[in-house]
Amino acid sequence: DTNYIVLGMIIERLTGRSYYDEVQRRVLSPLGLRNTIPSDRRSLPLVANGYAGPKNDLGGYDASIAADGLLAINPQFEWTGGGIASTTSDLARWAKLLYEGRAFPEAMLPRMLDGVPARLGPNVRYGLGVMIRPTPLGPSWGHSGFFPGYATEMTYFPMSRIAVAVQVNLTDPYPRGLVPLLQRLAREAGARDSSATH
C-alpha cells in the first residue's frame, strides 16, 4: 500500500484538497457510487459488524465494532491504500465501470493490465492495482480486500462483460472460497443472459 499512500500525498499537494474530497468529487459522485464512503474515522454508520475472531493477530477482540459503535481498529491507517467502505453492488458496478474504460480513459487499461507474476495463486499476475487470474471463464480482472472482520473479492470477466463482488463479515477462519464463488456467480449470470437473449 505504500505507493498508494505516496500517491495520496501527491494528490493532496497538487490539489490543495483532501484525498477523500477529491475521490468524492472526481470519481464517486460522477459515477453514481452513492453507497461508497471514506473509512476516515472509527465510527462508520451503516457498516455491518465484522468478526475477526478472538485470537486475531491485532488484539483480543472478536467483534470489529464495539458496544460504543467504534471500530476496534481505526481504519484511517488504510487511507489511500484501501480506506474505503462500500456495498457489494457498488463494488460490482465499480468493476464494470473501471474495466470497461468508463471510470478513467480507456487508453489507460492496457498499462493497468500489463501484469507481472505474483504470489497470489497459480498463474496470477498483478498489474496496476489489479489481480489478473486465469479462470474457466477466461481471464478475470479484480482485487481482494481485507480488514480484520471483513473480506472482499471483486472480479470482472472481460469475455462475458460480467462483474461480480462478494463481501463477508468474518475473517476467522478466513473465507478462502470467495474466488471460486465469484466464478460460479459469473457463470450463472452468463447462462441467464444467454438464455434470455435466445
Side-chain angles (χ1 to χ4, degrees):
D1 293 346
T2 304
N3 289 338
Y4 291 104
I5 300 296
V6 171
L7 179 60
M9 295 167 72
I10 292 168
I11 289 169
E12 291 193 343
R13 175 64 65 92
L14 290 177
T15 64
R17 296 165 52 105
S18 80
Y19 157 73
Y20 286 122
D21 287 346
E22 287 299 293
V23 78
Q24 184 69 50
R25 183 174 74 87
R26 294 173 182 255
V27 180
L28 302 178
S29 291
L31 297 178
L33 300 171
R34 292 177 190 85
N35 296 309
T36 300
I37 61 170
S39 297
D40 59 352
R41 59 187 63 94
R42 286 186 62 199
S43 175
L44 297 173
L46 304 178
V47 170
N49 207 344
Y51 297 91
K55 295 179 182 175
N56 74 78
D57 293 336
L58 297 170
Y61 67 90
D62 180 15
S64 297
I65 300 175
D68 61 4
L70 298 179
L71 283 155
I73 297 173
N74 191 335
Q76 287 178 295
F77 79 90
E78 292 273 350
W79 194 43
T80 54
I84 298 279
S86 189
T87 61
T88 306
S89 58
D90 262 14
L91 279 173
R93 181 181 173 141
W94 167 247
K96 197 142 172 68
L97 292 165
L98 178 64
Y99 299 123
E100 290 181 1
R102 294 183 284 156
F104 301 105
E106 193 171 2
M108 296 174 72
L109 279 174
R111 183 139 188 207
M112 183 172 66
L113 297 169
D114 185 18
V116 298
R119 294 182 200 164
L120 298 167
N123 302 312
V124 176
R125 299 176 66 78
Y126 197 81
L128 296 178
V130 58
M131 296 167 150
I132 304 154
R133 292 183 174 109
T135 78
L137 305 173
S140 72
W141 308 332
H143 213 286
S144 56
F146 168 82
F147 190 81
Y150 306 93
T152 299
E153 284 287 343
M154 171 198 79
T155 303
Y156 178 76
F157 297 89
M159 292 178 66
S160 57
R161 297 175 61 91
I162 292 173
V164 289
V166 65
Q167 296 175 303
V168 296
N169 60 336
L170 178 73
T171 55
D172 182 23
Y174 191 83
R176 305 229 176 256
L178 296 183
V179 171
L181 174 62
L182 290 177
Q183 292 173 19
R184 191 174 87 228
L185 292 171
R187 188 171 35 253
E188 290 172 7
R192 269 197 315 272
D193 286 351
S194 64
S195 66
T197 56
H198 295 330

